Amino acid sequence: MQASQWLPIAELSAKVRAGELRAADLVEQALKTIEAKKEYNAIIATIPERARTRAASIDAAIKNGETVGRLAGVPFIAKDNFLVFGAETTAASNMLKGFTAPYQSTVIEKLEAEGAICVAKANLDAFAHGASTENSDFFTTKNPADVARVPGGSSGGSAAAVVLDMAPFALGTDTGGSVRQPASFVGCVGYKPTYGLMSRSGIVAMASSTDVVGTLTRTADDAAYVIDVIAGRDPLDGTTIERDPAGYTDVPAAMKGKKIGLIKEWMGEGVAPGVATVIRSAADAFRAAGADVREVSLPSLPLSLAVYYIVVPAEVSSNLSRHDGQRFAFSYADAATLDESYTQSRGNGFGAEAKRRIMIGTYVLSSGYYDAYYRKAQTVRTKLINEFNEAFKQFDFLIGPVAPTTAFKIGENASDPLQMYLADVMTVGPSLAGLPAISVPAGTSDNLPVGLHIVAPQRSDRALLGMAKAAEELLA
Ligand code: GLN
């Protein structure tokens, strides 16, 4: 990762607490960088007033000798599917344009309670459906490594914002790869926690059985620092789990003696040779550092994409039914009847990809097709989970590429949904199994970033962060 204007997050907030840096200046620095790099289309909207007010109160509290939180004054950017109190939350869809959040996500609440300051909302594929930000109803974000290419998605705006140095960290969501794949495409660290480790309360729902909050940062250390603040149970989200009692910071980098499985199904046909080369040399570097790296096969893994594109649209069709033109934002004004209002609001408010998923989802759940598609997909999902569990009896971590290719060109896959879905072939498996996984910059192919995918057993987020730190040191 290139040099940054931001100190590591722990140091940055320590300097604010010590009165050596002012929160107000950090907020201006973030806003200035966002303005200067507008042409990348990473940001949907800044929230300057709210950010300045919060910064002023943090600076005043420090001046008065009051205690402030451990993220005091640290600016951050949230994907525009997180509700931030008083700010517009669009999920990059015309359906929610003009919707002002009446409350906010638990994770935003937790970050703000520790003094972090949200300065902007980042672009995404509308409702987080996509792998390129081309499904945003507003604009496509450009990849900082090559502006003719996509930054990945759906958290492409958040990932690009971090690489563009707009803030020390950004939040994303990962349902089937939306944090890891953009991190791989732009060259930053993208962390997807164990399912349930962070609350989804106050986040626009995509597919509730795999949706998680993730972080986009420059380093694994920064990710750990943020995760330590946002992890843990939340009464507002019944799927949440307890945080690790050991916490997520102060994790030692650990490689020697680790048993690592290189996933065979992720290294075969369809993987760009340049990507495979980067991953193989990462495996060699781990071996040289004392890890035991061997190939492992998970035979059902190639089925995970088919399973995902049945289970996820099914959940999407259910979650999106609340956008009916009667609540939230967009409502078709000229309808004569309620039925017409539903039809016209949904017909005009949703983009093509949301409609595609609603139709597929409704179809696979409908009586007569439920057994053939939805139930079968859930059966294969269980088989896949069992194969991961078996593999983790032998290995501490599983590795491979994050995506089969580097960042593709804007427009290259936009008219072919199946081709676009193939970008998710490696990320959806860990999502279906609820496993923690990370993308760490591992090198480049033709000057484009390539991320290494590291997957760990459920609830071993702490160990995964230690592994990621060691990987980062070896691959830097
Ligand atoms: N690209 C995947 C999809 O389109 C993942 C999206 C996500 O994780 N939000 O479903």
Side-chain angles (χ1 to χ4, degrees):
M1 183 121 219
Q2 309 130 316
S4 168
Q5 63 176 332
W6 306 104
L7 288 167
I9 297 174
E11 281 175 48
L12 188 65
S13 56
K15 283 199 188 297
V16 174
R17 285 195 300 274
E20 289 168 37
L21 290 173
R22 282 178 355 123
D25 295 332
L26 299 181
V27 164
E28 293 314 319
Q29 193 178 331
L31 292 171
K32 221 172 92 191
T33 311
I34 291 170
E35 177 60 27
K37 296 180 178 174
K38 261 213 312 251
E39 75 274 13
Y40 288 93
N41 285 336
I43 300 299
I44 291 181
T46 53
I47 31 182
E49 262 123 77
R50 191 173 183 279
R52 286 183 178 127
T53 310
R54 299 190 63 82
S57 78
I58 287 168
D59 287 332
I62 292 167
K63 223 167 165 187
N64 293 337
E66 293 164 30
T67 340
V68 289
R70 54 194 160 129
L71 281 168
V74 177
F76 72 96
I77 292 168
K79 186 177 181 179
D80 202 22
N81 56 354
F82 286 76
L83 271 62
V84 173
F85 185 67
E88 194 180 353
T89 300
T90 67
S93 169
N94 287 327
M95 199 70 175
L96 282 173
K97 209 166 167 3
F99 172 67
T100 304
Y103 68 100
Q104 66 181 354
S105 5
T106 298
V107 292
I108 301 281
E109 196 74 30
K110 284 186 166 180
L111 291 168
E112 289 193 344
E114 292 293 338
I117 302 173
C118 185
V119 289
K121 307 294 293 291
N123 194 30
L124 62 150
D125 290 289
F127 287 109
H129 305 163
S132 69
T133 74
E134 290 167 291
N135 292 337
S136 165
D137 284 348
F138 309 150
F139 38 69
T140 298
T141 302
K142 296 173 185 167
N143 190 325
D146 175 354
V147 293
R149 291 175 189 270
V150 302
S154 62
S155 313
S158 298
V162 167
V163 172
L164 292 167
D165 226 17
M166 292 172 168
F169 73 95
L171 293 179
T173 54
D174 190 314
T175 301
S178 276
V179 159
R180 289 163 284 157
Q181 183 255 17
S184 177
F185 275 19
V186 303
C188 68
V189 174
Y191 193 83
K192 172 218 177 292
T194 296
Y195 178 74
L197 189 61
M198 285 127 191
S199 169
R200 287 98 41 94
S201 172
I203 298 166
V204 180
M206 179 177 164
S208 305
S209 81
T210 66
D211 281 351
V212 297
V213 172
T215 56
L216 294 136
T217 54
R218 252 169 289 283
T219 62
D221 248 334
D222 279 353
Y225 200 79
V226 175
I227 290 165
D228 199 55
V229 170
I230 59 180
R233 274 187 58 76
D234 175 17
L236 297 175
D237 178 353
T239 63
T240 47
I241 58 173
E242 292 299 342
R243 54 186 280 115
D244 193 318
Y248 301 92
T249 53
D250 308 321
V251 189
M255 183 62 74
K256 200 165 184 320
K258 294 291 172 211
K259 295 197 201 91
I260 299 171
L262 176 61
I263 297 183
K264 181 172 160 249
E265 287 74 13
W266 284 354
M267 294 297 285
E269 209 191 327
V271 180
V275 170
T277 304
V278 170
I279 303 306
R280 287 199 197 285
S281 47
D284 289 342
F286 297 172
R287 270 188 205 109
D292 175 9
V293 188
R294 274 173 291 151
E295 197 173 78
V296 58
S297 171
L298 283 82
S300 299
L301 207 49
L303 300 173
S304 49
L305 196 66
V307 171
Y308 177 88
Y309 277 100
I310 290 173
V311 171
V312 166
E315 295 183 25
V316 162
S317 71
S318 161
N319 274 328
L320 290 187
S321 63
R322 72 191 60 162
H323 302 281
D324 58 2
Q326 317 309 308
R327 294 172 283 180
F328 312 119
F330 179 72
S331 182
Y332 185 75
D334 298 328
T337 64
L338 186 59
D339 256 1
E340 193 191 342
S341 172
Y342 286 152
T343 312
Q344 295 290 351
S345 299
R346 287 169 70 80
N348 290 297
F350 285 130
E353 186 60 29
K355 285 180 190 162
R356 183 177 297 121
R357 295 191 189 211
I358 291 169
M359 286 190 283
I360 295 173
T362 310
Y363 179 80
V364 299
L365 288 174
S366 58
S367 70
Y369 295 103
Y370 180 91
D371 285 331
Y373 294 104
Y374 186 75
R375 188 193 297 276
K376 198 185 260 177
Q378 291 290 22
T379 307
V380 180
R381 182 181 189 175
T382 302
K383 200 163 169 345
L384 184 67
I385 293 170
N386 292 341
E387 284 178 16
F388 271 118
N389 288 343
E390 278 306 308
F392 284 126
K393 285 186 185 155
Q394 293 176 56
F395 297 99
D396 301 309
F397 304 103
L398 300 174
I399 61 167
V402 175
T405 64
T406 52
F408 43 88
K409 291 228 166 77
I410 293 174
E412 193 177 323
N413 293 334
S415 56
D416 183 349
L418 276 182
Q419 200 56 38
M420 189 69 91
Y421 295 168
L422 280 172
D424 309 328
V425 69
M426 285 127 187
T427 45
V428 295
S431 292
L432 290 166
L435 304 171
I438 191 168
S439 173
V440 181
T444 55
S445 166
D446 290 333
N447 294 322
L448 293 170
V450 175
L452 173 75
H453 202 181
I454 314 173
V455 186
Q458 278 203 349
R459 297 179 198 238
S460 37
D461 298 77
R462 192 179 147 84
L464 178 55
L465 286 163
M467 165 71 189
K469 270 191 215 178
E472 212 169 57
E473 282 166 18
L474 291 167
L475 304 175

